[in-house]
Amino acid sequence: MNYTIHQLQIFLKVVQTKSITKASEELFMTQPAVSIQLKNLQDQFEIPLTEVIGRQLYITDFGREIAEVAERVIQELDNITYKTQAYQGILTGKLSISSASTGKYVIPYFLSGFMEKHTGIDLILDVTNKTRVIESLKNNEIDFAMVSVVPDKLPVEEEVLIENKLYLVGNQDLRDEKKPLIYREEGSATRMAMEKYFEEHQGKKRKRMELTSNEAVKQAVIAGLGYSIMPMIGIHNELVSNQLFVLDSPDLPIKTEWRLIWLKGKKLSPISQAFLEFIRTEKQKILNDNFSWYLDQ
């Protein structure tokens, strides 16, 4: 056996993404380079790690077992680094957060000062839709989740960060009723809030369009494809440049709160505790420095 740590890391990424193309993108490598390293690792074993059926890559049962061992190996190597830094008096380890997609306009500002202060911490920030965020939290795969709506039937604790305000917006200051409403995908908190609003105010029969990210919805509205209810915090620049306009509509804005949540009773790591303490201490300063325009709305 003569495999390398680098080969194991590449194989793990292929297992996670189930695609050489996606693995190469996330590793910032070319596809041929990933394929070569995967072949070099496979050459160490007589049993296949992967198989291709049609154009789809599958991980074999043996490959999954090797991946589990490889993951433990990589974690232990990380621990060597963390323990070395800990002996030097540096706070070290991983901080993992999963954020609902619109939270990307908020959470970086609460992380930047903390990460600058603690350079020994590795940050894992996954930005996805609410359904995946809650699934990760429920499975205890992350330290914190960033959401605007607290999940039902899941005991959690929380730290509120900032109010979330949703408005009806278009690319003109007058509404054309012939144009459709543009919705986020199923599982999005913004989608659920928007559906509830229009069911209560204009009934269920609405001409609609569905897009899979807040940024895609924003660009579609700017292009004049339709209207949407969007979080104010993600469209500031477009409002200032008159690419988007807030439209009058009864009972808007819809108001929720962006918050960090974690499983109730979870024993927080020293890093997680330090992050919470940093937020509680620095929250008002972060809001004043970065969101004064928003707080005044």
Side-chain angles (χ1 to χ4, degrees), residues 131-186:
T131 300
R132 175 58 190 149
V133 170
I134 299 307
E135 182 182 340
S136 296
L137 183 68
K138 189 183 298 184
N139 294 336
N140 199 28
E141 298 171 355
I142 54 177
D143 298 311
F144 299 106
M146 174 80 166
V147 296
S148 60
V149 179
V150 177
D152 295 328
K153 300 178 182 178
L154 184 63
V156 297
E157 298 181 64
E158 66 175 39
E159 181 68 29
V160 173
L161 301 183
I162 190 172
E163 190 174 52
N164 183 37
K165 293 176 277 191
L166 294 92
Y167 291 84
L168 181 67
V169 297
N171 71 340
Q172 299 177 355
D173 55 3
L174 293 175
R175 186 173 176 186
D176 181 353
E177 293 293 340
K178 296 178 182 178
K179 290 186 177 180
L181 292 168
I182 304 174
Y183 285 77
R184 285 283 307 279
E185 76 284 3
E186 291 282 355

Side-chain angles (χ1 to χ4, degrees), residues 216-280:
V217 171
K218 183 197 299 185
Q219 295 304 319
V221 175
I222 290 173
L225 287 177
Y227 302 91
S228 188
I229 287 181
M230 302 190 69
M232 170 74 76
I233 207 161
I235 58 174
H236 176 241
N237 292 338
E238 290 76 16
L239 292 172
V240 171
S241 62
N242 292 327
Q243 291 179 288
L244 291 176
F245 296 86
V246 172
L247 305 176
D248 289 333
S249 196
D251 301 323
L252 289 181
I254 300 168
K255 294 184 178 181
T256 57
E257 291 175 311
W258 282 110
R259 66 199 78 205
L260 277 182
I261 61 174
W262 60 98
L263 292 176
K264 189 165 186 164
K266 178 180 175 69
K267 183 175 174 57
L268 296 179
S269 69
I271 290 173
S272 296
Q273 293 175 16
F275 183 50
L276 277 180
E277 183 178 344
F278 173 83
I279 286 178
R280 290 164 177 164

